[in-house]
Amino acid sequence: MRIEPLEADHLDPVAAIEAKDGDAHWSRAQFEKELSGEFRRFFVVLDSDPPEILGYGGYWKAGPEAQITNLVVRHESRCQGIGKRLLEFILDCARGEECVTCTLEVRAANRHAQSLYRSLGFEVKGTREKIYHNPEEDAVLMEKKL
């Protein structure tokens, strides 16, 4: 398993995984935007043989803050430590860019993801009402000091 930056040839498989297993419902065009822009950092987790995308995630660098934008592990690859490894990688990258905090939003019903984030030191800071759609749901705001 390896983690590498998102590239153009990853867009179709990442968009397909998002459509099936993601909860932010990003379009291919949204992922394509992650390929450019000086403040965008986005990565894929690849199985080595054969090369297959197991998950993806990224953040936006906003001054001293890293804002995690999306983090998904394919349904059939979950509960194998992939999400934790990717999140640790993202946090290390943010620290390397001198970020001092990391923030994210997660669906209120996604207890599994919230548990992962808490295990890595994220704390709940509040909620935002009706941020998610399909289904409509509140977002839990979480933050970690780096």
Side-chain angles (χ1 to χ4, degrees):
M1 180 170 45
R2 68 184 188 277
I3 300 172
E4 62 184 47
L6 177 73
E7 296 181 5
D9 61 340
H10 298 137
L11 292 174
D12 288 335
V14 164
I17 294 167
E18 178 74 14
K20 182 177 175 252
D21 298 327
D23 62 7
H25 305 294
W26 277 22
S27 66
R28 185 186 189 282
Q30 286 171 290
F31 287 109
E32 192 167 11
K33 286 181 183 178
E34 298 303 305
L35 293 173
S36 61
E38 65 180 84
F39 62 91
R40 298 169 188 262
R41 318 288 189 264
F42 214 87
F43 308 94
V44 293
V45 179
L46 297 165
D47 199 2
S48 44
D49 191 30
E52 181 178 28
I53 296 174
L54 304 176
Y56 50 85
Y59 68 98
W60 295 343
K61 184 180 183 322
E65 182 180 319
Q67 299 173 353
I68 294 179
T69 56
N70 199 341
L71 190 105
V72 174
V73 174
R74 292 171 47 164
H75 183 74
E76 58 272 11
S77 299
R78 291 181 181 167
C79 299
Q80 298 176 32
I82 296 166
K84 181 177 182 183
R85 185 168 172 193
L86 177 57
L87 186 54
E88 288 171 335
F89 179 87
I90 287 170
L91 295 172
D92 285 344
C93 289
R95 282 186 200 97
E97 293 191 287
E98 300 181 359
C99 291
V100 296
T101 34
C102 184
T103 60
L104 59 85
E105 296 176 356
V106 59
R107 281 185 181 267
N110 193 341
R111 304 286 184 214
H112 187 76
Q114 290 176 48
S115 177
L116 169 63
Y117 301 141
R118 275 193 214 92
S119 76
L120 292 175
F122 282 84
E123 297 176 350
V124 173
K125 293 297 181 179
T127 59
R128 288 195 178 139
E129 292 185 14
K130 301 177 183 177
I131 292 294
Y132 288 99
H133 304 286
N134 299 325
E136 188 172 271
E137 193 171 345
D138 294 348
V140 176
L141 306 174
M142 300 183 83
E143 179 181 278
K144 174 184 175 60
K145 300 291 182 201
L146 301 175

